[in-house]
Amino acid sequence: MRRALGVLAALVLLGGVTYALIPDDGPAAGKAVTVTGLIGSEKRAFFESPEVKAELAKQGLEVRADSTGSWTMSEQAQSSSGLDFAFPASTAPAREIQRNWGQQDSPLVPFYSPLVVVAHAPVAQILRDNKLAARDDASGVWTFRMDEYVNALKAKRKWQDLVNAQGHAELSGPIFVTTTDPESSSSGALYVALLSYVLNGDLVVSDDAGVEAARPWLYQATALQGGQKSSSDEPFRDFLAGVGNPLIFGYESQVAAMAVQGQPTGDMVVMYPDTTAYSDHTIIARTENGRRLADVLQNDVALRGLEVRFGFRPQAGGEAFAGQVRGIRQPVFAQDLNAAKVRQATVPSLDNLLKLTRAAKGSAK
């Protein structure tokens, strides 16, 4: 798989997005230290923000970053010299980068985002009518019932099999959730990890027998999607445009950023899988300048406020997220994930996760 990822990394290098976070003006501009690294595409808008640039400049930092898929980042980090940091969207690719860089320390996780299923309100209601989703009447928080979804996958249920789906011409074919490509994107890989956990009786897959038992269902859930995107931005943009599958798997932060910033969200519903995976945005610092960046992202109060503005949940001062989303009524966000009874699945070891993603894509054992 590493060879395949190497090819993907080369393609990303050819078509990726490079930008510099250069402060617009001010006395700090001449004093800033340049910090160079790689980031997951889901953080591009955050790092491109003028407010983030300005706050980093106050800390004496100017960040130059290439945007790439989290799972292609490891190969790119290995082949690129002079990097100060790498900042994928989850711990598994972070561990791979650490292994390649020969590091043993614990990297920082400045912020995180739970993975969610996003739908429009009529679709969410049909799922609720068929016990595939639930809504808490007191809080308004929606959950997506993973056991029932796995049962629907195994039974090859179709939308038109569901109660109250008649008359919705846009709902046709088998029921499945659209994800990114698990071999190039963190959210896609975490979906595979989550499915394997539920398929394994809410236990982490820890051996080859577990991989083989999950293989047919992982492959089915992936094959139903057809071509998969390499970036979480793409299926989300398709969803907003009313194109493609009615259910998408992505980051809570994608929707929360729109809502917190006052952008219209229409009838969008955020459904928290009752067993989900968290996207722990993990920064691996290779140099002292990289460590400076990691530290301010985790500890600078102003930057934590900006992280919330872009939909992320800071590890420190987590009440900031709840404060921002408390008054938002469409869609409703879970202010406290524990109170919403959202459980976190254990993610497999790096080696087993690579085996599971290969199984999902139909690759050889």
Side-chain angles (χ1 to χ4, degrees):
M1 178 171 175
R2 291 193 182 96
R3 291 177 181 173
L5 290 178
V7 174
L8 285 170
L11 294 174
V12 170
L13 282 168
L14 290 172
V17 178
T18 304
Y19 52 87
L21 307 184
I22 303 173
D24 297 325
D25 50 30
K31 302 177 183 178
V33 172
T34 299
V35 188
T36 304
L38 303 170
I39 63 168
S41 60
E42 71 289 329
K43 292 182 283 292
R44 184 188 305 159
F46 171 78
F47 277 110
E48 287 179 337
S49 161
E51 292 86 355
V52 172
K53 294 179 186 181
E55 185 58 31
L56 287 169
K58 290 178 184 178
Q59 304 299 323
L61 298 173
E62 172 193 324
V63 177
R64 295 182 179 272
D66 283 340
S67 166
T68 183
S70 291
W71 277 106
T72 61
M73 193 178 293
S74 176
E75 294 290 333
Q76 192 171 341
Q78 191 173 18
S79 61
S80 300
S81 60
L83 294 177
D84 295 297
F85 73 96
F87 201 177
S90 62
T91 55
R95 288 197 296 267
E96 176 78 350
I97 293 167
Q98 277 195 292
R99 189 157 67 185
N100 290 340
W101 282 355
Q103 293 186 341
Q104 301 294 325
D105 60 328
S106 297
L108 292 180
V109 181
F111 47 80
Y112 69 99
S113 181
L115 275 298
V116 298
V117 176
V118 183
H120 292 293
V123 175
Q125 186 58 50
I126 290 171
L127 293 173
R128 186 186 187 189
D129 293 342
N130 290 270
K131 303 189 185 307
L132 283 157
R135 180 181 177 275
D136 182 78
D137 291 333
S139 66
V141 173
W142 284 80
T143 51
F144 186 74
R145 302 182 65 186
M146 286 301 300
D147 286 338
E148 292 298 326
Y149 173 59
V150 166
N151 289 339
L153 278 176
K154 290 182 174 181
K156 299 182 179 180
R157 294 184 74 183
K158 297 181 179 180
W159 281 104
Q160 291 304 311
D161 296 334
L162 301 185
V163 174
N164 297 331
Q166 294 72 28
H168 291 267
E170 74 279 10
L171 299 178
S172 62
I175 301 167
F176 65 90
V177 176
T178 291
T179 74
T180 52
D181 187 337
E183 290 192 310
S184 62
S185 170
S186 180
S187 59
L190 287 173
Y191 175 75
V192 168
L194 171 58
L195 266 189
S196 71
Y197 182 86
V198 177
L199 286 164
N200 198 38
D202 290 346
L203 294 171
V204 64
V205 172
S206 59
D207 54 26
D208 289 346
V211 173
E212 291 310 306
R215 178 181 293 273
W217 313 117
L218 295 178
Y219 177 70
Q220 178 182 322
T222 304
L224 285 170
Q225 300 179 46
Q228 294 178 295
K229 308 293 188 181
S230 62
S231 164
S232 57
D233 290 342
E234 296 172 90
F236 188 62
R237 285 198 302 266
D238 288 346
F239 176 83
L240 293 176
V243 176
N245 191 48
L247 299 176
I248 65 166
F249 187 75
Y251 301 107
E252 175 196 58
S253 59
Q254 292 174 289
V255 187
M258 293 179 64
V260 170
Q261 293 176 31
Q263 300 175 35
T265 55
D267 65 352
M268 199 182 306
V269 172
V270 172
M271 295 184 286
Y272 295 85
D274 51 14
T275 302
T276 192
Y278 291 2
S279 175
D280 291 328
H281 294 270
T282 307
I283 183 166
I284 306 96
R286 194 179 193 181
T287 66
E288 183 57 36
N289 287 337
R291 284 185 281 275
R292 283 182 59 189
L293 175 62
D295 179 71
V296 299
L297 288 172
Q298 177 143 319
N299 296 310
D300 182 80
V301 174
L303 280 171
R304 289 207 302 262
L306 290 167
E307 289 158 12
V308 171
R309 179 171 169 75
F310 284 87
F312 301 112
R313 294 178 182 249
Q315 289 283 11
E319 68 281 353
F321 181 88
Q324 284 290 334
V325 302
R326 188 169 290 121
I328 297 171
R329 290 291 172 261
Q330 185 66 40
V332 175
F333 298 94
Q335 297 171 36
D336 185 320
L337 294 167
N338 291 327
K341 298 179 180 179
V342 174
R343 299 176 300 164
Q344 185 175 6
T346 303
V347 177
S349 69
L350 177 59
D351 289 339
N352 283 323
L353 185 52
L354 293 175
K355 292 176 183 178
L356 288 164
T357 57
R358 283 199 294 268
K361 296 294 286 186
S363 299
K365 299 179 183 179

